[in-house]
Amino acid sequence: MSLSDILVVDDEDVVLSAIERILSAHALHYRMAGSAEEAVRQIQSRTPEILLADIKLPGASGIELVSLCREQYSSMVSVCMTGYANTEHVLLSLESGAADFLPKPFTVDELISTITRARQLVGRAAGSRAPSGLFLLDGHSWGRVEEDGTLTLGLTDIFLRTIGPVEAVEVPASNTMLRQGGVLTHVKERGGTVYRAWCAFGGRVEQSNARLNADVGAVSSEPYGGGWIARVIPTSVEEEKARLANTWPPG
């Protein structure tokens, strides 16, 4: 990986040291801050490309920091992380303007794959090509309510544009329970890197897309059509709709 400007914000020295070792080993340029207030001072001095911020910080939270950066530093791509990971934290992070969420503890591969996706968004318009009638968990997945009351779930074109050619997609098995803000799927690109995509809606998996076992390219060529991931019987569809961006009015 080439040099990149990353601001890491965490109040735990052990976490900062671990991230420092990983980023150094991958030739990534980084700065460190121990609080949101210190991060803002550094951002005002020189705006980084990527902000990697822990949610729990002394003073202002990482969520508040990311929200501020979305309003005042729109060129920056933010990622939230926490050791208290749950689906609510994923949703709050993405709603605040973060492009991704990184649970702690994380592996070297998980940190680097998250940074890799974030770098693909730097300086790019993030507008989705999603057709009307879908609900979007920004930058990750979409859901469509079908006439029979089931939900079809898939990956957004934004997510797919931030990774390389897809080699494999992990589809959830029938009767698996998915949660909004939980993991929908893991996608492996041809270079071997594995990326995690967060789920737009919760529900019990009624059907997985078996086509992807033989034609994995469909997930990229037809992300809103034949490349869908799963169909689910929803749990709380009306409540979950309220937390998602949508492309209404339906086409």
Side-chain angles (χ1 to χ4, degrees):
M1 297 176 72
S2 60
L3 290 173
S4 188
D5 188 13
I6 303 166
L7 177 59
V8 182
V9 190
D10 200 297
D11 63 332
E12 296 184 64
D13 290 340
V14 64
V15 174
L16 292 176
S17 296
I19 294 175
E20 182 176 18
R21 288 194 298 272
I22 296 170
L23 298 184
S24 296
H26 288 80
L28 290 163
H29 178 70
Y30 58 88
R31 292 176 275 155
M32 303 287 187
S35 68
E37 290 75 14
E38 181 184 349
V40 169
R41 289 192 292 271
Q42 291 203 37
I43 292 168
Q44 290 172 338
S45 175
R46 187 176 84 249
T47 304
E49 293 178 336
I50 297 168
L51 173 70
L52 178 60
D54 189 54
I55 288 177
K56 292 179 68 66
L57 295 170
S61 71
I63 295 288
E64 292 172 307
L65 175 61
V66 169
S67 296
L68 173 70
C69 291
R70 176 179 61 179
E71 295 173 2
Q72 299 187 12
Y73 305 96
S74 59
S75 65
M76 188 189 315
V77 177
S78 297
V79 175
C80 285
M81 58 181 175
T82 185
Y84 304 90
N86 55 46
T87 57
E88 182 64 17
H89 281 146
V90 173
L91 293 170
L92 284 173
S93 297
L94 298 181
E95 287 168 356
S96 72
D100 212 340
F101 178 86
L102 181 64
K104 296 191 294 186
F106 45 77
T107 66
V108 172
D109 289 343
E110 287 171 340
L111 174 60
I112 294 303
S113 67
T114 301
I115 294 296
T116 299
R117 281 198 65 239
R119 292 177 76 231
Q120 293 301 314
L121 290 170
V122 173
R124 295 188 181 184
S128 175
R129 301 168 187 161
S132 61
L134 303 183
F135 288 86
L136 309 176
L137 185 60
D138 285 349
H140 286 265
S141 63
W142 56 268
R144 181 178 62 233
V145 182
E146 306 295 352
E147 291 184 359
D148 62 1
T150 62
L151 281 163
T152 300
L153 303 173
L155 298 175
T156 67
D157 59 292
I158 293 176
F159 180 90
L160 293 162
R161 293 202 305 268
T162 60
I163 66 176
V166 176
E167 179 179 286
V169 176
E170 178 185 273
V171 295
S174 295
N175 293 316
T176 299
M177 289 301 299
L178 299 177
R179 298 183 66 185
Q180 185 182 47
V183 175
L184 170 62
T185 183
H186 291 88
V187 182
K188 182 180 180 181
E189 67 175 14
R190 288 179 189 166
T193 303
V194 177
Y195 301 90
R196 172 173 41 204
W198 304 107
C199 190
F201 283 97
R204 179 174 60 82
V205 177
E206 184 178 56
Q207 182 183 7
S208 295
N209 190 356
R211 174 184 173 183
L212 299 182
N213 295 325
D215 181 19
V216 71
V219 76
S220 298
S221 62
E222 304 175 54
Y224 301 110
W228 58 274
I229 301 295
R231 291 199 172 101
V232 304
I233 299 173
T235 50
S236 305
V237 65
E238 293 303 323
E239 293 177 16
E240 293 179 349
K241 279 182 183 179
R243 302 203 70 167
L244 300 175
N246 62 67
T247 59
W248 294 115

